[in-house]
Amino acid sequence: MSEPPPTLPPTLAPTLAGLTRAFLAIGLLSFGGPAAQIALMHRVAVEERGWLDEGQFLRALNFCMLLPGPEAQQLATYIGWRLKGWRGGVIAGGLFVLPGALVMLALSIAYVLFAGAPLVGGLFFGIKAAVLAIVLEALIRVSRRVLKPRPAQAVALAALLAVGLFALPFPLVVAAAALAGALLFAAVPEAPPAAVRPAGAGLWPAAIAALLWLAPLGLIAATLGAGHVLFEIGAFFAKLAVVTFGGAYAILAYLAEQAVGRGWADPADMLAGLGLAETTPGPLILVTQFAGFLGAYRAPAPFAPLAAGLLGAAVTTWVTFAPSFLWIFAGAPWLETLQANRRLAAALRGITAAVVGVMAHLAAWFALHTLFATVGTVQLGPVRLLVPDPASFDARAAALAAIAMGLVFVAKRGLIATVAIMAGLGVLASLF
């Protein structure tokens, strides 16, 4: 039997309706990436409502950072679980994602219906330049925090070479980085567990979450076949969900290359999708929904294109976010024990260092596809190089990218302001 979550005094514990209202508001206001989203939850759950104290909130956050997937959604799920059990976890985690998912779906539909219009095309042209500046800023910020120890620098460089030159699969890079971290960073012996939970803690809601997570893949395979694009989309993003450590930026290059290679999208689509995800509420990983929508929209049989796109978006969103409930329901009762495992924490440090190298590859990939209309690949034995066509250099894109850099690094504009300004400049550039 599952152990119930810790309880609050009756004066502080919310009703399910109160929890629903609070997390609906959080979901609608969760702009600005995980840092802003976590700060918003801290204000609501710790400062305003007193649902958690400071130590409980920080321990929950650290636990969520050990898990694959969007840590902000997992933190929301944990808070809901702690307050109202699995029902609270479903409500809080679901409402954190739902508003952004609906907005992203509407933007995806607008993208395929109106992207050919000159003004809309100009808008996305400007957004691409903003995305490049935002990715570079994120790379620099994370590097300063993570790459101080020399072993971390070595792991980051190895990850950059692995994905950038040898095109190794991202899941393999994550596994190797975890092993390297466990060997390099766990200099002290493992501490004894801080708490011991009953053997059955969290198992039944976790088992149900696991079953529901993979159920759509079984239904698609039974009705449309394992070769259908919807099954391919679901299987790919389900696999991605279990290796997405370090935030969305860590897997974007791999996601973009896979989406392009599978014919679901082109590089310009992925740049536009990231720009849209940056400006919507909810986790940045909602860019996966955009890719899933496009993949199904462009290979719709036996459905109409728009219906196929809606199904692709739904499948992608489900298999991307459902695992977060699984991790929380299975692991939350063991929170203290997991955090006391030094080897596990060291493995996470290795993954975090590798994320910097993967982000560097992402920045290079985005830069090439922003500044050049044609980017090819050259294979030299096991080494694969991205080679742009110099004749396809886009001076307008370079000028917009320079302006975006100025907004981010000099004027210190926020994310949403930068995207909005660059979208407007992109529209102006399309008129001339």
Side-chain angles (χ1 to χ4, degrees):
M1 180 177 293
S2 173
E3 178 182 300
T7 57
L8 284 173
T11 54
L12 294 179
T15 62
L16 277 177
L19 184 74
T20 300
R21 287 193 296 270
F23 275 93
L24 178 59
I26 289 172
L28 291 169
L29 298 173
S30 58
F31 293 90
Q37 294 158 359
I38 290 166
L40 176 60
M41 279 187 277
H42 181 273
R43 190 177 72 194
V44 172
V46 178
E47 298 174 11
E48 296 179 356
R49 310 295 177 94
W51 292 339
L52 283 75
D53 63 33
E54 192 72 32
Q56 292 167 337
F57 185 88
L58 291 177
R59 287 193 295 273
L61 176 58
N62 291 337
F63 168 65
C64 293
M65 293 179 71
L66 291 171
L67 305 174
E71 65 266 25
Q73 187 221 357
Q74 290 160 352
L75 180 59
T77 305
Y78 175 84
I79 294 171
W81 171 85
R82 185 179 179 89
L83 296 173
K84 288 293 180 182
W86 68 267
R87 293 177 182 84
V90 170
I91 290 171
L95 289 178
F96 181 80
V97 172
L98 185 59
L102 293 176
V103 172
M104 194 67 183
L105 181 60
L107 292 173
S108 301
I109 294 171
Y111 182 80
V112 297
L113 295 181
F114 306 115
L119 290 181
V120 177
L123 184 146
F124 287 109
F125 184 61
I127 287 176
K128 288 195 298 182
V131 166
L132 177 57
I134 291 166
V135 170
L136 284 174
E137 192 272 338
L139 172 62
I140 293 171
R141 173 168 34 85
V142 174
S143 298
R144 288 173 176 169
R145 188 178 74 245
V146 172
L147 297 187
K148 292 180 181 179
R150 288 192 179 275
Q153 297 170 15
V155 172
L157 178 60
L160 172 60
L161 297 177
V163 298
L165 295 184
F166 296 97
L168 295 181
F170 182 75
L172 178 60
V173 174
V174 169
L179 177 60
L183 295 175
L184 293 173
F185 297 116
V188 293
E190 293 183 14
V196 177
R197 299 293 185 185
L203 291 184
W204 74 264
I208 293 174
L211 180 64
L212 292 176
W213 171 33
L214 298 175
L217 290 179
L219 180 61
I220 293 169
T223 55
L224 299 172
H228 194 271
V229 67
L230 285 177
F231 185 86
E232 293 177 357
I233 288 170
F236 173 74
F237 286 110
K239 177 182 71 175
L240 209 61
V242 300
V243 295
T244 310
F245 293 90
Y249 285 121
I251 53 94
L252 280 174
Y254 178 66
L255 166 60
E257 291 176 343
Q258 289 292 311
V260 171
R262 295 166 186 255
W264 299 343
D266 59 38
D269 294 328
M270 296 310 301
L271 282 161
L274 179 57
L276 294 178
E278 291 275 16
T279 55
T280 58
L284 180 59
I285 199 67
L286 279 169
V287 68
T288 58
Q289 184 198 87
F290 181 78
F293 177 93
L294 290 183
Y297 181 89
R298 291 172 177 170
F303 307 101
L306 195 56
L310 293 173
L311 290 172
V315 170
T316 302
T317 303
W318 181 262
V319 299
T320 297
F321 292 102
S324 292
F325 299 99
L326 167 60
W327 313 143
I328 294 299
F329 295 155
W334 303 85
L335 186 152
E336 302 292 346
T337 301
L338 291 172
Q339 287 189 329
N341 190 312
R342 295 185 184 276
R343 191 70 68 177
L344 181 61
L348 178 66
R349 290 183 65 189
I351 293 171
T352 304
V355 163
V356 178
V358 175
M359 287 177 64
H361 173 58
L362 169 68
W365 192 92
F366 275 176
L368 290 175
H369 286 93
T370 298
L371 303 177
F372 297 90
T374 304
V375 180
T377 58
V378 174
Q379 196 75 33
L380 302 173
V383 175
R384 183 201 61 177
L385 298 174
L386 293 175
V387 180
D389 179 4
S392 69
F393 179 74
D394 191 332
R396 291 187 310 157
L400 288 177
I403 295 172
M405 299 293 179
L407 289 171
V408 171
F409 291 102
V410 180
K412 305 295 184 183
R413 294 283 184 175
L415 183 151
I416 294 178
T418 299
V419 172
I421 292 170
M422 294 312 303
L425 291 177
V427 171
L428 290 176
S430 70
L431 299 177
F432 299 97

